[in-house]
Amino acid sequence: QVQLVESGGGLVQAGGSLRLSCAASGIIFSINAMGWYRQAPGKQRELVASITSGGMTNYADSMKGRFTISRDNAKNTVYLQMNSLKPEDTAVYYCRTFARAQAYWGQGTQVTVSS
């Protein structure tokens, strides 16, 4: 059974930092691309960043230079380092992977940035 478990969310002031973690199980983590998405109230879920099995990264334009995605294959974990946070970054952040011909999502972790 595939499981993705996010952690690391919380309340932070504007300009602050958070690091999110997503621990994966039930997949061969090292060969899977991983992604972080977010969904703010009343908005559609959007891609934040993704990382391939080989470590190539991709970011949404508004996150470039502020967020960094990384992975530790030994720990089956993908990370999202978020710096210079803004109130508009407030959202539920989700981890996602694609395996066995379907997408899997974590339960999400809330990030709230106060002004």
Side-chain angles (χ1 to χ4, degrees):
Q1 182 179 2
V2 179
Q3 283 193 317
L4 302 174
V5 180
E6 302 98 334
S7 60
L11 174 64
V12 64
Q13 288 189 332
S17 299
L18 283 174
R19 188 175 83 153
L20 306 183
S21 300
C22 171
S25 61
I27 58 172
I28 305 174
F29 182 81
S30 61
I31 67 171
N32 277 71
M34 303 295 297
W36 284 100
Y37 289 72
R38 71 183 186 185
Q39 187 166 20
K43 295 188 176 181
Q44 288 190 331
R45 194 170 296 190
E46 62 176 348
L47 174 69
V48 174
S50 63
I51 185 167
T52 68
S53 59
M56 291 184 63
T57 59
N58 178 56
Y59 297 92
D61 287 343
S62 62
M63 287 68 156
K64 287 180 181 176
R66 299 191 299 125
F67 291 8
T68 303
I69 189 171
S70 61
R71 64 191 296 157
D72 185 337
N73 290 340
K75 295 182 178 180
N76 285 6
T77 300
V78 60
Y79 303 98
L80 185 68
Q81 178 67 44
M82 306 186 294
N83 299 328
S84 303
L85 283 162
K86 306 174 182 180
E88 51 264 44
D89 293 318
T90 294
V92 178
Y93 285 70
Y94 298 90
C95 180
R96 177 192 185 273
T97 192
F98 192 87
R100 301 169 192 165
Q102 67 180 82
Y104 292 91
W105 296 88
Q107 82 288 350
T109 185
Q110 176 71 46
V111 171
T112 303
V113 184
S114 63
S115 56

